[in-house]
Amino acid sequence: MSTTILGLDKQKSENLVVSLNDLLSNFQVYYQNLRGLHWNIKGKSFFELHVKFEEFYTDSQEKVDLIAERILTLGGTPLHTFEDYTKLAKVPVGKNITKDTEAVKLVINSLSELLKIERIILNESDEASDEGTNSMMSDFIAEQEKIIWMLNAWLN
């Protein structure tokens, strides 16, 4: 078995880089959606959601950086063009959303898509004995599950 400088199986690390680039692409679309929601939200929930969407996009921006740095740590190259992102993205694109419930539903649906990808990566990183990626995915998953619960509580 060929290993990386980190002591990880080289082929499994390369596979993780592909999956992490998929996650990176989806996070970039999610991030841009959040910026649009922050800018365009209207109505009685404006003040509450305007601040919340800024909180979410700031957090997403940090996660984008963490994902890209993990890709680099594993010896890969992070994707960095919108063309690459849109080819891989499964997160729904939100355009001209101004209504509070529609905006919150988009965030929930986006997080659900991110969770699917993160769980795949969690399994891959576990099989590769890659604790760094595994820990990052576990943290992302726990946080996003809680956000989905809270946003669903807000909707109901």
Side-chain angles (χ1 to χ4, degrees), residues 2 10-12 31 36 40-41 56-57 63 86 97 156:
S2 178
K10 189 172 183 170
Q11 184 59 55
K12 289 179 180 179
Y31 168 80
N40 295 310
I41 197 70
F56 288 166
Y57 77 66
K63 284 181 171 58
T86 56
I97 296 174
N156 296 316

Side-chain angles (χ1 to χ4, degrees), residues 112-124:
S112 294
E113 287 300 322
L114 292 172
L115 283 169
K116 290 175 192 174
I117 299 164
E118 291 161 354
R119 286 191 174 104
I120 290 168
I121 295 171
L122 185 67
N123 288 331
E124 289 177 356

Side-chain angles (χ1 to χ4, degrees), residues 104-154:
V104 170
K105 286 177 183 178
L106 176 64
V107 174
I108 291 169
N109 291 336
S110 298
L111 288 172
S112 294
E113 287 300 322
L114 292 172
L115 283 169
K116 290 175 192 174
I117 299 164
E118 291 161 354
R119 286 191 174 104
I120 290 168
I121 295 171
L122 185 67
N123 288 331
E124 289 177 356
S125 61
D126 187 48
E127 290 175 17
S129 299
D130 176 0
E131 184 55 34
T133 302
N134 200 298
S135 176
M136 185 170 65
M137 290 305 103
S138 292
D139 291 347
F140 286 10
I141 290 167
E143 182 182 329
Q144 291 161 4
E145 287 174 341
K146 186 174 182 179
I147 291 169
I148 288 173
W149 161 67
M150 289 180 176
L151 291 175
N152 273 316
W154 185 89

Side-chain angles (χ1 to χ4, degrees), residues 10-86:
K10 189 172 183 170
Q11 184 59 55
K12 289 179 180 179
S13 291
E14 289 171 4
N15 293 342
L16 275 166
V17 164
V18 171
S19 296
L20 285 165
N21 266 317
D22 183 36
L23 181 61
L24 178 65
S25 297
N26 281 277
F27 249 103
Q28 289 284 38
V29 172
Y30 175 60
Y31 168 80
Q32 196 58 45
N33 281 342
L34 291 166
R35 295 297 303 235
L37 296 175
H38 170 76
W39 294 328
N40 295 310
I41 197 70
K42 293 181 176 154
K44 295 181 190 233
S45 299
F46 170 82
F47 289 106
E48 174 187 1
L49 291 178
H50 183 74
V51 171
K52 185 54 72 177
F53 294 144
E54 182 175 6
E55 176 188 318
F56 288 166
Y57 77 66
T58 300
D59 178 69
S60 294
Q61 186 176 27
E62 290 173 16
K63 284 181 171 58
V64 162
D65 197 49
L66 289 172
I67 296 163
E69 289 175 352
R70 189 66 196 163
I71 291 167
L72 289 163
T73 300
L74 292 173
T77 302
L79 297 176
H80 53 275
T81 67
F82 287 109
E83 179 184 14
D84 289 332
Y85 300 153
T86 56

